């Protein structure tokens, strides 16, 4: 079976795709075709010549100065915006540095000798039509030019001139070239969609299996090239791919396989007991008329629902108390990090959860404020769960 890797455009988000590649290597998933647009075309060239460590080094050391020529010091987002604005007003920035970077890292001989087929999308501005070009049709000495053309994010960058014709970023036509991969013989596709600006063509052949990997976390801006951001993006790509193939688990946060079941085994029944205790305190049964967010209505009746609810609470607590998103957590390290951050986080959103939690510590749930619970049910549920983990079952003692 011919498998294709399809890589979308996305500029500075591109390290995510190297994280995906890292996971595919770990999973021993082979591929026979690579297609890409823009930064996906560049990463795809690395994948064709099987030079993973070169790609990893490139993204781990990336910065604006490796991409653009004659730029001033970049300190913050305002500088980035000013740089791109200046580029647009001056008919696009020079990217000779990017061309040099490609020249240094992409070995055309090795690329052409590889058994892996390849195609990219660019847009011919002179003829006003897209160009899908495969490895066999790229003339000798022109690979670098077409890679640059596919990644020429006009009007931020200057147009790329090839054989008296102007080319720009292929994302203006198809930012995720699945159809190109299928036309090249792909019977299965793993598509990596960076969710960056650009058009995507509908898949024409619905019989081809398409596995799509998308970021579950917020990646850096497609206009930003920063090695620290790239390292995070790379970690997200690895985590999402391993979750897609069920080797890790979680949504925005990532846990080793089996962690969530272990967590439910330790705290699930205790949490249900605490919910029942809270319900008993509600003499007027007002809480029964409230759907407590994603939680209380079915949690004590349905084990599957309970597990999902508790997993959602873990994600919510991690977000509220600013746990690093790129890490892979064991249960012990998750709760250790959560305890460390609990009263240090300065997020405004975490204040209500902490207020509920402190009330549980002081009043053991006996001062129910139904209107406040109704308005802030997620924080109430998260605080109750936090109490369960740290102190066990609520009681009258």
């Amino acid at each position: 079976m011919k498998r294709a890797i399809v890589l979308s455009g996305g500029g500075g988000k591109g390290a995510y795709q190297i994280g995906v590649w890292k996971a595919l290597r770990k999973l021993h998933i082979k591929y026979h075709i690579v297609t890409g647009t823009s930064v996906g075309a560049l990463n795809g060239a690395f994948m064709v010549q099987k030079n993973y460590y070169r790609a990893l080094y490139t993204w781990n050391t990336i910065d604006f100065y490796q991409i653009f020529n004659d730029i001033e010091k970049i300190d913050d987002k305002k500088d980035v915006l000013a740089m791109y604005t200046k580029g647009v007003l001056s008919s696009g920035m020079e990217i000779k540095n990017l061309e040099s970077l490609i020249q240094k890292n992409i070995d055309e001989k090795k690329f052409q000798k590889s058994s892996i087929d390849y195609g990219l999308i660019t847009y011919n501005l002179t003829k006003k039509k897209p160009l899908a070009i495969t490895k066999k049709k790229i003339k000798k000495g022109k690979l670098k030019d077409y890679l640059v053309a596919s990644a020429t994010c006009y009007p931020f960058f200057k147009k790329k001139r090839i054989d008296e014709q102007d080319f720009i970023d292929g994302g203006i036509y198809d930012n995720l070239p699945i159809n190109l991969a299928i036309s090249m013989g792909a019977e299965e596709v793993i598509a990596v969609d960076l969710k960056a600006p650009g058009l995507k063509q509908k898949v024409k052949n619905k019989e081809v299996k398409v596995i799509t990997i998308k970021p579950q976390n917020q990646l850096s801006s497609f206009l930003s090239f920063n090695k620290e951001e790239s390292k995070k993006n790379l970690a997200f790509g690895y985590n999402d791919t391993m979750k897609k193939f069920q080797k890790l688990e979680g949504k925005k946060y990532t846990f080793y396989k089996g962690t969530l079941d272990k967590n439910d085994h330790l705290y699930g029944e205790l949490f249900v007991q605490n919910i029942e205790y809270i319900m008993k305190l509600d003499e007027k049964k007002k809480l029964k008329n409230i759907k407590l967010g994603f939680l209380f209505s079915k949690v004590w009746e349905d084990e599957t629902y309970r597990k999902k609810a508790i997993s959602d609470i873990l994600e919510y607590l991690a977000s509220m108390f600013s746990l690093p998103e790129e890490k892979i957590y064991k249960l012990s390290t998750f709760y250790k990090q959560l305890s460390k951050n609990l009263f240090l986080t300065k997020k405004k959103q975490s204040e209500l959860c902490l207020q509920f939690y402190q009330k549980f510590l002081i009043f053991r749930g006996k001062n129910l404020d139904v209107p406040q619970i109704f308005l802030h049910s997620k924080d109430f549920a998260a605080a109750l769960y936090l109490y369960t983990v740290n102190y066990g079952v609520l009681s009258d003692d």
Side-chain angles (χ1 to χ4, degrees):
M1 180 183 66
K2 278 193 173 183
R3 180 183 293 116
I5 308 298
V6 177
L7 305 174
S8 83
K13 300 173 186 279
Y16 181 92
Q17 294 172 342
I18 306 306
V20 173
W21 189 11
K22 178 183 177 181
L24 295 179
R25 286 164 55 87
K26 176 91 171 178
L27 296 166
H28 303 291
I29 293 175
K30 298 187 182 301
Y31 53 91
H32 311 89
I33 299 165
V34 180
T35 64
T37 299
S38 195
V39 76
L42 301 178
N43 285 333
F46 278 115
M47 293 188 76
V48 169
Q49 63 185 35
K50 298 181 182 179
N51 206 335
Y52 167 74
Y53 290 103
R54 174 72 73 172
L56 186 65
Y57 176 80
T58 299
W59 280 104
N60 279 337
T61 57
I62 198 79
D63 60 30
F64 284 102
Y65 307 100
Q66 291 184 11
I67 308 296
F68 306 112
N69 297 65
D70 303 323
I71 59 170
E72 297 173 7
K73 190 176 180 182
I74 303 292
D75 288 324
D76 54 31
K77 290 180 181 179
K78 288 183 180 178
D79 292 338
V80 174
L81 184 60
M83 180 189 74
Y84 280 109
T85 302
K86 183 179 177 182
V88 172
L89 294 174
S90 61
S91 302
M93 290 179 286
E94 287 283 358
I95 53 170
K96 297 294 183 185
N97 287 356
L98 174 61
E99 297 198 27
S100 298
L101 189 67
I102 293 170
Q103 187 75 47
K104 178 182 175 182
N105 287 289
I106 303 301
D107 183 332
E108 190 167 353
K109 276 188 180 179
K110 189 174 183 180
F111 175 89
Q112 289 292 351
K113 285 182 179 180
S114 170
S115 62
I116 298 165
D117 205 357
Y118 175 84
L120 64 77
I121 301 286
T122 183
Y123 190 85
N124 189 321
L125 200 58
T126 303
K127 293 185 177 181
K128 293 184 171 52
K129 66 178 187 179
L131 173 67
I133 189 165
T134 59
K135 185 165 78 168
K136 290 177 183 176
K137 293 182 179 179
I138 297 174
K139 293 178 182 177
K140 188 177 179 180
K142 294 292 183 180
L143 174 60
K144 181 195 75 173
D145 292 333
Y146 282 110
L147 289 173
V148 172
S150 183
T152 297
C153 188
Y154 184 77
F156 298 115
F157 304 171
K158 288 190 181 299
K159 294 170 281 189
K160 178 61 182 174
R161 194 82 169 159
I162 305 175
D163 298 331
E164 305 306 316
Q165 296 178 35
D166 291 326
F167 291 84
I168 60 173
D169 197 303
I172 197 173
Y173 171 72
D174 191 358
N175 208 35
L176 189 65
I178 295 172
N179 289 325
L180 174 57
I182 294 171
S183 73
M184 294 169 67
E187 298 164 288
E188 180 182 282
V189 170
I190 298 174
V192 187
D193 184 358
L194 295 175
K195 299 196 289 189
L199 298 176
K200 285 181 280 190
Q201 299 297 317
K202 287 184 179 180
V203 178
K204 294 175 182 177
N205 188 342
K206 301 295 183 182
E207 293 180 7
V208 174
K209 182 181 179 182
V210 178
I211 300 166
T212 304
I213 298 169
K214 294 181 180 181
Q216 300 303 304
N217 305 75
Q218 182 69 45
L219 302 185
S220 58
S221 167
F222 76 101
L223 296 174
S224 180
F225 295 89
N226 175 290
K227 61 186 177 183
E228 296 307 319
E229 292 173 346
S230 290
K231 287 174 184 177
K232 276 191 178 183
N233 291 347
L234 196 145
F236 292 146
Y238 176 82
N239 293 350
D240 287 343
T241 306
M242 296 299 278
K243 283 185 272 192
K244 175 64 78 171
F245 289 96
Q246 300 181 336
K247 300 300 181 183
L248 295 172
E249 53 193 27
K251 294 177 184 174
K252 185 177 179 181
Y253 289 84
T254 305
F255 302 88
Y256 287 102
K257 192 169 176 63
T259 299
L260 299 179
D261 277 344
K262 180 181 178 182
N263 184 68
D264 181 72
H265 177 74
L266 288 172
Y267 304 114
E269 291 297 333
L270 296 177
F271 187 48
V272 169
Q273 290 179 48
N274 281 341
I275 292 171
E276 290 172 341
Y277 180 84
I278 292 291
M279 289 300 195
K280 286 176 185 176
L281 293 178
D282 180 29
E283 294 176 357
K284 295 183 180 179
K285 308 299 179 188
K286 290 182 179 180
L287 288 178
K288 286 209 169 180
N289 298 320
I290 299 172
K291 282 195 173 182
L292 286 175
F294 49 77
L295 183 61
F296 280 12
S297 58
K298 296 179 183 175
V299 90
W300 55 86
E301 299 171 356
D302 186 329
E303 183 180 353
T304 302
Y305 186 90
R306 182 189 75 208
K307 287 182 178 181
K308 180 185 180 304
I310 290 175
S311 296
D312 287 344
I313 286 174
L314 289 184
E315 298 261 350
Y316 187 66
L317 285 168
S319 178
M320 285 300 95
F321 296 102
S322 303
L323 269 66
E325 296 176 19
E326 69 275 15
K327 287 187 176 181
I328 304 172
Y329 290 97
K330 296 178 181 177
L331 206 56
S332 57
T333 55
F334 178 83
Y335 284 122
K336 185 178 180 180
Q337 185 77 58
L338 187 61
S339 297
K340 182 180 176 181
N341 287 25
L342 200 57
F343 294 103
L344 296 176
T345 303
K346 296 178 181 178
K347 270 189 177 180
K348 196 80 174 170
Q349 305 97 297
S350 66
E351 290 178 3
L352 272 167
C353 182
L354 280 176
Q355 287 172 21
F356 279 124
Y357 181 57
Q358 288 168 333
K359 285 180 181 179
F360 281 124
L361 293 178
I362 298 167
F363 300 108
R364 300 295 190 272
K366 292 178 182 177
N367 66 330
L368 288 174
D369 183 343
V370 174
Q372 192 180 29
I373 293 170
F374 177 77
L375 291 171
H376 308 289
S377 57
K378 273 191 177 182
D379 294 289
F380 181 82
L384 179 60
Y385 181 77
L386 202 53
Y387 180 91
T388 305
V389 171
N390 289 324
Y391 297 99
V393 178
L394 291 163
S395 68
D396 296 326
D397 298 333

